């Protein structure tokens, strides 16, 4: 008789205690699970990018110490498009919830939400359902009633040079390389960066690129 296949789950959570709680919730499902737990987005993506990597489920927190959780979700979804991704986070702002869903998440529950347990949410997403905390569900239904573009605050208008710089940063160029491609000095690039951070309400290059993608500001190559 063949043994049941071991399912593999990726847990991206920087709080060791909560990471253990998530692992325990997975184990309670009763199947054989191999839990890959990581505290940073970079470690999680390194695991995903392994050619031999195999994944059945991903559970991701948005508040990671290095990368934007939205970027981690998008990368996992690109690498494993059929794998369900569940967000387990304290973050409940409307724009972040929408960004997570657009990046590939199929469920979103809030930490400490007693109305839906982690085990039940994981069970639901593995059954092809879309678990979501009631607080967030109310918002999404309200948003649907207002039209698809409602509820997402508009960003201040970017200049053509700021938009061009974003495109270079998204392609992996350094500030110096971006300045060379644009024909401007490094000090000018740094000035553009300060304006971008202010307009996008971010504090790092990774966050700037992520926010730009959320709002459709980057041209797909």
């Amino acid at each position: 008789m063949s043994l049941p296949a071991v399912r593999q789950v990726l847990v991206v959570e920087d709080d060791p205690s909560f990471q253990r709680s998530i692992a325990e919730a997975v184990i309670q499902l009763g199947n054989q699970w191999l839990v890959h737990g990581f505290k940073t987005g970079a470690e999680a993506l390194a695991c995903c990018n392994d050619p031999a990597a195999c994944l059945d489920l991903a559970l991701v927190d948005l508040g990671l110490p290095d990368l934007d959780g939205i970027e981690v979700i998008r990368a996992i979804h690109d690498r494993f498009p059929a794998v369900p991704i569940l967000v387990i986070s304290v973050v409940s702002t409307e724009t972040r919830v929408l960004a997570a869903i657009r990046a590939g998440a199929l469920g979103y529950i809030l930490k400490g939400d007693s109305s839906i347990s982690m085990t039940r949410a994981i069970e639901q997403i593995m059954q092809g359902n879309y678990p979501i905390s009631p607080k967030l569900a109310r918002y999404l239904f309200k948003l649907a009633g207002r039209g698809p573009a409602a509820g997402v605050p508009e960003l201040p208008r970017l200049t053509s040079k700021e938009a061009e710089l974003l495109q270079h940063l998204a392609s992996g160029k350094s500030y110096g390389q971006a300045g060379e491609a644009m024909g401007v000095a490094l000090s000018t690039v740094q000035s553009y960066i300060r304006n971008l951070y202010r307009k996008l309400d971010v504090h790092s290059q990774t966050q700037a690129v992520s926010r730009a993608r959320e709002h459709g500001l980057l041209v797909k190559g």
Side-chain angles (χ1 to χ4, degrees):
M1 183 176 68
S2 61
L3 296 175
V6 176
R7 291 182 171 182
Q8 302 196 49
V9 55
L10 179 70
V11 177
V12 193
E13 165 61 57
D14 64 320
D15 184 328
S17 177
F18 203 79
Q19 188 180 119
R20 286 193 296 272
S21 296
I22 295 175
E24 290 169 0
V26 171
I27 293 171
Q28 288 179 26
L29 296 176
N31 298 313
Q32 291 191 19
W33 287 91
L34 178 59
V35 179
H36 303 279
F38 298 99
K39 296 180 181 179
T40 69
E43 292 172 336
L45 295 187
C47 174
C48 288
N49 291 331
D50 186 330
C54 180
L55 202 60
D56 297 285
L57 172 66
L59 309 173
V60 183
D61 180 20
L62 296 189
L64 301 174
D66 56 343
L67 304 180
D68 188 330
I70 302 297
E71 285 296 295
V72 174
I73 291 171
R74 184 177 289 108
I76 295 172
H77 181 65
D78 289 345
R79 175 72 170 84
F80 302 101
V83 169
I85 302 172
L86 174 65
V87 175
I88 305 177
S89 180
V90 297
V91 178
S92 60
T93 58
E94 298 175 352
T95 54
R96 298 295 280 169
V97 174
L98 285 176
I101 293 172
R102 288 169 177 161
L106 297 182
Y108 198 122
I109 64 171
L110 298 174
K111 292 179 179 178
D113 189 344
S114 60
S115 60
I116 180 169
S117 70
M118 281 191 289
T119 299
R120 179 57 181 153
I122 295 168
E123 186 176 50
Q124 287 180 356
I125 204 168
M126 291 303 295
Q127 292 172 348
N129 297 316
Y130 303 85
I132 190 164
S133 289
K135 174 184 176 181
L136 305 179
R138 287 195 296 271
Y139 158 67
L140 291 176
F141 273 104
K142 181 177 68 174
L143 178 65
R146 294 201 304 260
V152 180
E154 294 186 5
L155 293 176
R157 186 183 299 276
L158 302 183
T159 67
S160 60
K161 287 296 186 181
E162 290 167 353
E164 182 183 354
L165 176 57
L166 264 178
Q167 200 70 40
H168 287 306
L169 296 181
S171 68
K173 289 186 175 69
S174 66
Y175 291 171
Q177 291 169 331
E180 186 175 334
M182 296 170 66
V184 299
L186 178 60
S187 60
T188 302
V189 171
Q190 292 170 334
S191 177
Y192 292 156
I193 284 292
R194 287 192 292 271
N195 290 336
L196 279 173
Y197 282 10
R198 175 179 53 81
K199 290 181 178 181
L200 299 177
D201 190 24
V202 297
H203 305 286
S204 71
Q205 180 176 327
T206 298
Q207 291 178 350
V209 172
S210 177
R211 187 66 52 83
R213 286 201 177 104
E214 290 175 19
H215 289 264
L217 299 178
L218 295 176
V219 178
K220 294 182 179 180

